[in-house]
Amino acid sequence: MSASNELRPRRMLPNGTPRSVRGLLAAASVSLAIVALSDLLAVFAGARIYLLIDEDQGFAVAPQQKLDAAYSLYQTAGNVQGIVYVPCAVLFVAWFFWTRRNTGLLAPDRFRKGPGWAIGGWLIPLANFWLPYRIAVDMWGAATPLPADGERYRAGIWPVNLWWGLLVSSSLYDWYAARRYASAEALTEIRAAVMQYMAADALHIVAAVAAVYFAVRLTSMHWLKATASSPYGA
């Protein structure tokens, strides 16, 4: 070891050991894909009901036998959505928590709340429309590579904004569509409510794709920055 290497100060390692989230990322991505497929099934089932109900001068008619079969498929699609959503949410929040912990070790000064909020923020009514987004923005900033000499520091967060905007809008629109569908009685009202539900399910599909992109990008950025910042790296 040369004298210059002996005198060169080493970076201080943060307290704690980062945990690989690649397994959680893969599991969350697969579960999001399954959720998107269940949403696609719901769109297909909703389209069957929508096309079976014919409107003519304010009146609506539909063949009862075919309509009953379409309703049965639509209910099955809804049950599938409910079943696959829960494990998907658990896996994604687990990835979110461990990524928050890892990025906190990399840049602890960027976070205003502890790692536990990466779980708790999703569980608090109304606050869950904001807290996870703020944590995601902080994680994105912590994982963003440092600027080279002479460059301005700018962390583009459009993947975070896109994911969160689609998640919130699809959730609110789904709630609105559910209320419309629950209160619908006439065939014309059911047809309109099913169309609303189809739009909400389509938004869910796009939100799932945006979530996978955000998660993959953030995990890759953190890995690259952590490797470059390692005091034992080449």
Side-chain angles (χ1 to χ4, degrees):
M1 183 180 291
S2 66
S4 61
N5 286 336
E6 290 177 353
L7 296 176
R8 183 182 303 153
R10 288 183 178 271
R11 294 189 186 95
M12 294 296 292
L13 283 172
N15 293 326
T17 303
R19 170 177 173 170
S20 174
V21 296
R22 291 182 174 180
L24 280 173
L25 173 64
S29 299
V30 170
S31 64
L32 282 165
I34 294 173
V35 167
L37 288 175
S38 72
D39 291 329
L40 189 61
L41 174 62
V43 171
F44 171 76
R48 284 191 62 188
I49 294 177
Y50 185 85
L51 294 175
L52 281 172
I53 300 175
D54 294 325
E55 285 190 84
D56 184 19
Q57 298 179 353
F59 295 94
V61 294
Q64 189 61 47
Q65 187 174 1
K66 290 183 178 180
L67 191 59
D68 289 342
Y71 274 131
S72 178
L73 178 61
Y74 199 52
Q75 184 175 7
T76 300
N79 292 336
V80 171
Q81 285 177 301
I83 291 171
V84 301
Y85 175 80
V86 174
C88 177
V90 171
L91 287 170
F92 187 85
V93 172
W95 167 84
F96 196 80
F97 166 75
W98 283 106
T99 303
R100 162 61 184 89
R101 182 179 180 274
N102 287 348
T103 51
L105 295 174
L106 192 64
D109 58 316
R110 285 191 169 273
F111 296 91
R112 288 158 286 185
K113 298 184 181 295
W117 284 98
I119 297 176
W122 295 93
L123 305 177
I124 304 174
L126 298 181
N128 54 13
F129 282 95
W130 177 252
L131 281 178
Y133 169 74
R134 286 306 316 167
I135 294 170
V137 169
D138 291 341
M139 289 194 297
W140 193 269
T144 299
L146 296 174
D149 293 340
E151 290 184 355
R152 294 181 59 189
Y153 182 81
R154 178 177 296 178
I157 62 170
W158 69 264
V160 185
N161 292 336
L162 178 65
W163 159 64
W164 192 251
L166 287 169
L167 176 64
V168 172
S169 60
S170 62
S171 299
L172 292 176
Y173 200 56
D174 186 75
W175 173 82
Y176 169 74
R179 288 177 61 88
R180 286 284 304 275
Y181 187 78
S183 62
E185 295 181 357
L187 283 178
T188 53
E189 295 174 343
I190 293 173
R191 192 173 192 260
V194 167
M195 174 57 74
Q196 299 288 340
Y197 246 142
M198 289 168 59
D201 289 328
L203 268 178
H204 278 305
I205 294 172
V206 181
V209 174
V212 172
Y213 180 75
F214 156 71
V216 171
R217 278 285 307 274
L218 179 57
T219 302
S220 300
M221 287 167 54
H222 170 262
W223 174 255
L224 290 174
K225 188 174 181 180
T227 302
S229 301
S230 173
Y232 301 106

